[in-house]
Amino acid sequence: MHLIVIPFFLLISIFPFVYYVCKVRPEVVHCRNLISSFLANIAKKMFAFKYKVVCDPRSVYVEECVIEHAFRYQGVNYKVWKKMEKWIYHTSDACIGLSYNFKQYLKSYNGNSYYVPAVVGDNYIFSDVRRAELRAKWNLGEHDMVCCYIGSIGTWHSLEKMISNVKFLINKYKNKQIRIVFLSGNTMACNEITKQFNSEIILKNGRVKPNEVLDYLLMSDIGLVPGSDNNGFCYDLLYDTMISSKAEEYLSSGLPIMVNTRIGSLAKLVLDNKSGYIFDGKKIIEAVSDRNSISMVFNNMFCVSNVVKNYIVIYNSLF
């Protein structure tokens, strides 16, 4: 089988894409967003190409545009893009979602839809020895419970939810000293958390190099995925279908996560694989196995070889 994954810049203009297709003659065109999927389907119809189109949008693009204030909900742009989205999903030969719930959403448009997770680097593996070394380096004892957060505070995850998570952990684990590691650098959030609790609660605040992230995950005890209280259809759909790459890194490194029940796909993944805590703001469901088991399960799930194998199965099913 001859497969090409067309780079986005080649799909900005349909004519370079058509030239490339005529030259290479692909059997499958794997598109990683709605725009490239739209152009690949249009070109296929206009020029009677025989390739199969795999639409792999990575997120609910139209709703994300509303949340990021690029579109107005139920405005002209929103309605036009929702019609385009429906046509793209219907017309594509297969659709891929990054989560089970996203797959179900896509399946409402295209019955030939699949769940294939994002890839996490093969180096994200739990190590008891390395964890012990790192905790000794940071003078962390058994009474220290380290919570790790990667990412910004704002649109997707709110400071209020973060503080709510921390308060719950402090009240639940009274014999532990809760410490927080921010790996993206967030002075405003750190100042507010320090004001709410104490100056010692922030263990680390600052950006780290990509090759340093794993060490912080290994020395931590919980990865935080707080979500937000923002309401509306767009937020509901986004939270129900999303599984962030950061959450996948937490899990692959064996780090249990504390996830808002509203983030449906991730909460289901955690519950099904006993890899964390499901929190609704008042009560918590604990489903935690040992870290070696968590790391093994999600390394197998998110590794390159497994994702590639799933892609090949999908490609072969199209012929």
Side-chain angles (χ1 to χ4, degrees):
M1 180 191 298
H2 191 173
L3 163 74
I4 57 169
V5 179
I6 302 299
F8 174 72
F9 70 85
L10 281 176
L11 292 175
I12 291 175
S13 168
I14 197 168
F15 296 106
F17 172 62
V18 169
Y19 169 78
Y20 195 72
V21 169
C22 290
K23 183 179 178 181
V24 177
R25 299 289 180 184
E27 292 181 64
V28 176
V29 178
H30 189 146
C31 304
R32 298 295 283 267
N33 57 42
L34 280 188
I35 296 172
S36 58
S37 300
F38 175 71
L39 291 173
N41 278 303
I42 286 288
K44 182 179 178 181
K45 288 191 174 295
M46 286 177 61
F47 298 95
F49 288 137
K50 300 299 183 183
Y51 59 69
K52 305 294 185 179
V53 178
V54 176
C55 176
D56 185 2
R58 319 307 282 175
S59 69
V60 283
Y61 171 76
V62 185
E63 283 68 30
E64 275 196 351
C65 285
V66 173
I67 291 168
E68 293 172 356
H69 307 294
F71 298 163
R72 182 172 58 84
Y73 182 57
Q74 297 298 351
V76 174
N77 285 335
Y78 178 84
K79 289 179 179 178
V80 168
W81 267 99
K82 287 304 286 185
K83 287 184 179 297
M84 286 175 61
E85 178 189 58
K86 182 177 181 180
W87 181 83
I88 291 165
Y89 293 154
H90 272 304
T91 309
S92 297
D93 297 285
C95 294
I96 296 174
L98 288 177
S99 71
Y100 175 80
N101 287 5
F102 194 12
K103 181 202 81 171
Q104 294 301 102
Y105 172 74
L106 295 171
K107 207 164 188 176
S108 66
Y109 295 98
N110 186 323
N112 196 31
S113 295
Y114 302 86
Y115 161 46
V116 181
V119 170
V120 174
D122 292 336
N123 61 315
Y124 279 80
I125 300 173
F126 179 70
S127 166
D128 282 308
V129 174
R130 184 61 179 156
R131 171 175 163 81
E133 291 172 352
L134 292 164
R135 287 182 71 89
K137 177 182 174 181
W138 283 83
N139 295 317
L140 296 169
E142 290 186 5
H143 67 287
D144 291 299
M145 178 178 279
V146 180
C147 301
C148 183
Y149 181 78
I150 306 174
S152 60
I153 296 289
T155 305
W156 313 116
H157 302 284
S158 71
L159 180 57
E160 292 75 18
K161 280 291 185 185
M162 173 77 73
I163 289 173
S164 172
N165 284 8
V166 174
K167 281 182 178 176
F168 183 87
L169 291 171
I170 288 173
N171 290 329
K172 181 173 177 60
Y173 299 102
K174 297 184 185 298
N175 62 331
K176 300 282 188 181
Q177 181 169 353
I178 305 299
R179 313 292 299 277
I180 303 175
V181 169
F182 281 100
L183 295 188
S184 297
N186 197 309
T187 303
M188 182 274 291
C190 287
N191 288 343
E192 187 59 34
I193 288 173
T194 298
K195 191 187 303 180
Q196 289 262 351
F197 303 104
N198 59 69
S199 59
E200 294 183 356
I201 195 168
I202 305 298
L203 182 64
K204 163 78 176 176
N205 175 41
R207 295 188 179 278
V208 299
K209 296 176 182 177
N211 62 351
E212 297 174 338
V213 171
L214 178 59
D215 279 350
Y216 287 100
L217 300 184
L218 291 176
M219 80 178 202
S220 298
D221 299 286
I222 295 178
L224 299 177
V225 188
S228 78
D229 286 323
N230 292 319
N231 294 313
F233 170 78
C234 295
Y235 277 102
D236 290 342
L237 181 59
L238 178 72
Y239 281 131
D240 188 52
T241 56
M242 71 181 287
I243 293 180
S244 70
S245 58
K246 298 305 178 188
E248 292 186 351
E249 289 176 0
Y250 292 160
L251 294 168
S252 292
S253 65
L255 181 63
I257 64 175
M258 184 174 181
V259 58
N260 190 320
T261 51
R262 191 179 181 196
I263 306 176
S265 280
L266 184 55
K268 182 179 186 304
L269 197 65
V270 168
L271 198 58
D272 289 348
N273 294 282
K274 296 182 178 180
S275 51
Y277 309 84
I278 317 299
F279 185 56
D280 67 359
K282 295 180 181 178
K283 61 181 183 297
I284 195 166
I285 299 173
E286 294 188 36
V288 187
S289 54
D290 68 276
R291 292 190 63 168
N292 277 304
S293 298
I294 294 172
S295 182
M296 187 178 299
V297 166
F298 288 102
N299 262 286
N300 290 334
M301 191 180 295
F302 302 143
C303 68
V304 173
S305 60
N306 186 55
V307 171
V308 169
K309 181 179 71 176
N310 286 327
Y311 282 156
I312 291 172
V313 168
I314 294 168
Y315 301 152
N316 286 331
S317 73
L318 300 176
F319 298 95

